[in-house]
Amino acid sequence: MNAPKTLAPKALAFLLPLISGALVLTPLIATGGDVAFPTTRTDLNPKDLKRVETVTRPTTDFSKPEQFELMAGGAATTRADVNGDSFSHFSANITFAEEGTFKLGNALFTKLWVAAPSSTQASDGLGPLFNARACQSCHLKDGRGHPPEGGADATSMFLRLARPARTEAEKQQVATYQKLNFPDAVYGEQFQDLAVPGLASEGKMQISYEEIPVKLADGEIVHLRKPTYSVTDLGYGPMEGDVTLSPRIAPPMLGMGLIQAIPEADILARADPDDKDGDGISGKAAMVRDHKSGELKLGRFGFKAQNASVRDQSSSAFAGDLGISTPDDPFDHGDCTKAQAACLAMPTGVQERLGPVEAPDPVLDLVTFYSENLAVPQRRDMGNPEVLKGKEMFYQSGCTACHTPKFVTRRDAGNKAQSFQLIWPYSDFLLHDMGEGLADGQQVGVADGNEWRTQPLWGIGLTKTVNGHTFFLHDGRARNLTEAVLWHGGEAQKSRDAFAALSKTDRAALLKFLESL
């Protein structure tokens, strides 16, 4: 998306009350569908293509840091002091005018939406069923969410609901990328535990844990906790019998614009769905529809890569988490279904003078721009001998087979701040079978119930600093990085076993390396 550099008078008239105190804040590779992507980069001349191939080649020298490794997000990297705001800085290379756009986006990202009707007409339309009142409620300090622990609430965690295709027609809709899956007839696509006044919520999420001891090669015992999910106090009757509950914690927001600028060819080059090279790793590309145009694109955002762009990810969150309609997901009643008549009868926040949806552009534009330009922090302790040793262990254990260290973004990226940057996300952005232990049983487009997108690792070592916890994986079951690694299975089983077989010293070094990212 090309973000607005200046705002039209009508846009300003809409935004000012929102953020002021007055209203409370080339050869082609076929993808099996109706689109094809280049097998090689089309944005570079031969000389630059050679440079990119050289600089992204995996290192074999672990005696010292690699060139440019400090700047994990390229020139967009923030060098600000490490503290609780480390994930909330803007890209270091955006223009002064864009800093203003970023700050407007931040104001909208943090604003609290209210139920309609309200005197704050530019801020109403919440729900009627919802999981949070603001984007920031889930992505606290733009970081990682957590499961409810003790007395903590579940604001930064929710359940996705889906059933499999039942008919040939439904199977065809999935096969042609028209549908990712099918919602529960009563509770929709997402289980919402909050509701506006006068309306019953959908119920409560319940989690129980079973402790599983795992013995490592050196005799150390690590206890993993296996979660079981259920719902109680259902407000609208029973769910359908074949509906799956898939838990999600809010992922960190950093570096999304850079991820979006990675060329399709470079991601697809690592895909090997049939494991033709026999290495046991069969990364699969996710193909999804653009929310607005319907065009088939490469999915790269979300735990199952169900969104192709930062804009799509943002509009999905507005609709599912907040119940706020946008131009790309114009659902004024959020995830209310036909079976929830009381929900559909509630007023919405659509204001004719502002447009046909509750959050018209430029709201979605600005939140998207903000999300695209949250900077990646620079690396720490890169030259520490233990960190370098841990990096070597990370490579030797085979972790880089999925956690690809580096890419160079497109020269023709939509924003110059993301153009031709060497970045270090440590992800291939492909779908992988992670084994039965992490399976949620829920199909999302081409991703089956065992498959998940490889999560980027940049910033992972600052989770405690920013968010005050160390809960990892899609549902936060892992209480630390050791547990997160030991939950890996399926295609990652060999790497998981290699980690478990390391000496205590080497294992600690690998963890030290992860903490430096």
Side-chain angles (χ1 to χ4, degrees):
M1 183 199 90
N2 291 321
K5 301 300 188 293
T6 59
L7 298 174
K10 182 179 178 181
L12 279 173
F14 177 72
L15 286 168
L16 287 176
L18 281 177
I19 59 179
S20 70
L23 292 189
V24 191
L25 322 198
T26 69
L28 299 177
I29 178 169
T31 60
D34 56 359
V35 71
F37 293 110
T39 56
T40 57
R41 295 183 60 159
T42 58
D43 61 310
L44 302 177
N45 61 40
K47 181 179 179 181
D48 280 345
L49 186 61
K50 183 66 176 177
R51 288 172 59 201
V52 169
E53 290 172 349
T54 299
V55 77
T56 56
R57 191 172 297 138
T59 187
T60 57
D61 181 3
F62 301 99
S63 65
K64 62 182 184 300
E66 295 176 70
Q67 190 177 16
F68 312 119
E69 193 173 4
L70 175 70
M71 305 296 281
T77 305
T78 176
R79 292 189 158 191
D81 292 342
V82 171
N83 56 37
D85 295 321
S86 288
F87 293 167
S88 299
H89 301 291
F90 53 75
S91 299
N93 58 345
I94 61 175
T95 67
F96 182 75
E98 287 173 329
E99 289 180 27
T101 304
F102 179 90
K103 291 171 183 176
L104 285 172
N106 179 45
L108 293 168
F109 193 83
T110 58
K111 77 180 292 288
L112 297 174
W113 293 85
V114 297
S118 169
S119 60
T120 58
Q121 292 182 351
S123 297
D124 66 3
L126 179 68
L129 295 165
F130 59 97
N131 292 108
R133 292 183 59 198
C135 305
Q136 188 76 222
S137 300
C138 295
H139 301 278
L140 185 61
K141 295 187 176 181
D142 305 296
R144 190 183 304 271
H146 60 81
E149 299 289 322
D153 62 36
T155 301
S156 61
M157 184 176 186
F158 61 82
L159 296 171
R160 288 207 186 279
L161 311 177
R163 65 166 176 82
R166 295 171 180 162
T167 67
E168 289 303 317
E170 288 183 344
K171 291 176 183 177
Q172 184 64 17
Q173 285 181 295
V174 174
T176 56
Y177 313 103
Q178 302 301 321
K179 293 282 189 181
L180 295 174
N181 49 35
F182 299 89
D184 181 81
V186 175
Y187 293 91
E189 298 177 351
Q190 195 159 306
F191 190 69
Q192 280 124 354
D193 57 352
L194 298 173
V196 299
L199 185 69
S201 71
E202 292 188 326
K204 298 178 181 178
M205 172 177 62
Q206 296 290 327
I207 313 173
S208 61
Y209 292 105
E210 173 191 356
E211 292 281 337
I212 301 175
V214 175
K215 187 175 183 179
L216 305 183
D218 61 1
E220 180 180 343
I221 303 294
V222 176
H223 289 270
L224 305 183
R225 57 177 193 172
K226 179 182 179 181
T228 299
Y229 297 92
S230 60
V231 291
T232 63
D233 301 331
L234 291 177
Y236 300 88
M239 286 186 182
E240 297 180 275
D242 55 351
V243 166
T244 53
L245 310 177
S246 184
R248 301 281 194 278
I249 61 169
M253 301 281 292
L254 64 162
M256 294 176 70
L258 293 167
I259 294 170
Q260 185 171 257
I262 298 172
E264 292 90 345
D266 286 355
I267 294 175
L268 291 168
R270 302 189 63 82
D272 185 16
D274 300 317
D275 193 22
K276 291 182 179 179
D277 62 6
D279 66 353
I281 307 297
S282 52
K284 184 167 68 178
M287 305 310 301
V288 297
R289 297 282 175 182
D290 179 271
H291 291 201
K292 192 171 185 178
S293 69
E295 180 184 351
L296 198 58
K297 295 184 177 180
L298 176 66
R300 58 182 83 193
F301 297 104
F303 283 106
K304 296 217 175 191
Q306 68 270 22
N307 286 308
S309 67
V310 179
R311 184 181 174 95
D312 281 359
Q313 187 76 1
S314 300
S315 67
S316 291
F318 268 115
D321 302 348
L322 306 176
I324 298 293
S325 58
T326 65
D328 294 12
D329 284 288
F331 311 118
D332 302 328
H333 285 91
D335 195 31
C336 295
T337 67
K338 293 179 180 179
Q340 295 170 324
C343 184
L344 293 175
M346 300 296 287
T348 73
V350 175
Q351 306 293 329
E352 185 176 348
R353 63 187 175 83
L354 300 176
V357 292
E358 293 163 322
D361 283 333
V363 172
L364 183 57
D365 282 342
L366 289 166
V367 170
T368 299
F369 184 82
Y370 173 75
S371 302
E372 288 174 340
N373 285 284
L374 284 162
V376 179
Q378 68 178 1
R379 284 283 305 281
R380 302 158 312 287
D381 303 324
M382 294 188 316
N384 181 302
E386 186 179 12
V387 169
L388 290 169
K389 179 65 174 178
K391 181 179 178 181
E392 183 177 13
M393 295 299 99
F394 186 82
Y395 275 65
Q396 286 186 3
S397 297
C399 303
T400 57
C402 299
H403 289 284
T404 305
K406 47 191 170 175
F407 290 93
V408 173
T409 61
R410 300 187 64 89
R411 266 206 185 279
D412 56 357
N415 188 314
K416 287 184 179 180
Q418 284 99 42
S419 173
F420 207 51
Q421 300 297 318
L422 174 62
I423 62 173
W424 306 71
Y426 284 89
S427 172
D428 60 7
F429 304 100
L430 297 171
L431 298 168
H432 294 276
D433 183 338
M434 295 298 291
E436 289 296 328
L438 288 178
D440 66 349
Q442 188 171 106
Q443 180 181 17
V444 181
V446 302
D448 66 29
N450 282 35
E451 291 177 323
W452 301 92
R453 182 200 71 158
T454 306
Q455 294 303 295
L457 298 181
W458 52 13
I460 197 169
L462 292 175
T463 303
K464 178 73 171 179
T465 300
V466 173
N467 295 120
H469 67 77
T470 54
F471 295 111
F472 300 109
L473 301 178
H474 66 281
D475 58 359
R477 70 177 67 187
R479 293 163 290 193
N480 51 56
L481 290 170
T482 298
E483 291 182 23
V485 175
L486 292 176
W487 269 111
H488 284 50
E491 296 173 44
Q493 187 69 44
K494 289 183 179 179
S495 294
R496 176 262 180 216
D497 292 347
F499 173 80
L502 292 174
S503 68
K504 189 175 185 68
T505 300
D506 286 348
R507 196 165 59 249
L510 192 154
L511 296 172
K512 185 81 170 178
F513 164 68
L514 292 176
E515 290 168 356
S516 78
L517 296 179

